[in-house]
Amino acid sequence: IYSLILFVAGLNKRWVFLGLIVIFSAVIILKVKFPYLSNRINNWHPFLTKTTSHSKIDLQLNYSLSAMGHGGIMGQGPGNSTYKYLLPESHNDFIFAIIAEEFGLVLTLLGLSLYFGFFGFLLRRISLVKDYFGFILASSLIIMIVVYLLINLGVVIGFLPNTGLPLPLISSGGSNLMISLLALGIIFNVLKNSDKVAYQQKETDFNEENLDS
């Protein structure tokens, strides 16, 4: 997230790349120093290390994939999920699996398209903001929400190890919803003030042209 923010802020790509190297190096060191991190990775994909682990993390991934497979193309219908009673944290970290089970592949992909389309629209609007601080602030908040979304989806489909990050704006939990809505409120405020400044600038230019004529 921080690397993306620095990149958007205009930092030299060399420094961003160097920061990524430092981060990956730190991850490797932590993995060697703290064995439980290796266990988490082993439980994430047992076939990578030829282990037969059946921990809670492994169970979550298996139930998550089964729930999405059970939903099929059209889903089981709202409220008809069976895996929500079996999947740990089905209301929080793994709520996307339950959504996919109940609404199916088609509606789930449509929902994700609207989700990404909404934030893509916000990014496009923010790219027109003249205030540098407002641009960096709003862009950083959008990057944060979208990265959390991608990490959560990656965990649910087994592409990433379990991180415990909720699905922004959807997962249960007051703090998650409060932070997401607060971020959106700041973003809309930046856009509102930007539009106001642009309107005032146009009005000033119009008045100056009338005075000259």
Side-chain angles (χ1 to χ4, degrees):
I1 292 176
Y2 296 122
S3 298
L4 287 174
I5 293 173
L6 293 175
F7 179 76
V8 170
L11 188 68
N12 192 301
K13 295 179 182 179
R14 224 178 303 171
W15 291 106
V16 176
F17 182 71
L18 180 61
L20 291 175
I21 294 178
V22 172
I23 292 173
F24 282 120
S25 302
V27 170
I28 294 174
I29 293 173
L30 290 174
K31 182 178 180 295
V32 173
K33 189 172 180 61
F34 300 100
Y36 71 88
L37 294 177
S38 298
N39 294 334
R40 181 175 286 266
I41 295 176
N42 294 342
N43 292 328
W44 163 44
H45 274 318
F47 60 85
L48 292 178
T49 51
K50 298 181 180 180
T51 179
T52 56
S53 164
H54 294 286
S55 68
K56 181 181 178 181
I57 300 172
D58 189 21
L59 182 69
Q60 280 183 312
L61 178 57
N62 289 335
Y63 278 145
S64 174
L65 297 176
S66 298
M68 289 187 287
H70 186 236
I73 302 297
M74 302 307 297
Q76 300 298 316
N80 294 330
S81 168
T82 56
Y83 280 89
K84 62 184 177 183
Y85 303 108
L86 303 173
L87 177 61
E89 300 296 331
S90 61
H91 64 292
N92 198 358
D93 300 353
F94 285 81
I95 193 171
F96 180 77
I98 305 304
I99 293 174
E101 181 188 9
E102 294 188 354
F103 294 96
L105 177 65
V106 175
L107 289 180
T108 301
L109 291 179
L110 177 60
L112 284 178
S113 300
L114 294 174
Y115 207 115
F116 285 112
F118 171 68
F119 286 104
F121 169 76
L122 288 180
L123 274 177
R124 183 175 178 277
R125 289 291 312 277
I126 288 169
S127 65
L128 303 176
V129 172
K130 304 298 182 183
D131 177 41
Y132 181 73
F133 176 77
F135 168 74
I136 297 300
L137 176 61
S139 300
S140 302
L141 292 174
I142 290 182
I143 289 173
M144 178 190 72
I145 295 176
V146 172
V147 169
Y148 282 177
L149 168 66
L150 293 175
I151 292 176
N152 181 273
L153 296 179
V155 170
V156 171
I157 64 176
F159 186 74
L160 295 173
N162 195 343
T163 58
L165 289 178
L167 189 62
L169 299 172
I170 297 178
S171 289
S172 174
S175 58
N176 167 50
L177 184 61
M178 181 181 68
I179 295 299
S180 299
L181 292 178
L182 180 61
L184 287 176
I186 294 174
I187 293 169
F188 288 133
N189 185 265
V190 170
L191 292 176
K192 177 184 175 182
N193 289 333
S194 175
D195 291 340
K196 184 178 179 181
V197 171
Y199 175 78
Q200 290 174 347
Q201 183 63 41
K202 288 182 179 179
E203 187 177 22
T204 301
D205 294 341
F206 178 77
N207 292 334
E208 289 178 354
E209 289 178 1
N210 287 340
L211 289 175
D212 293 338
S213 61

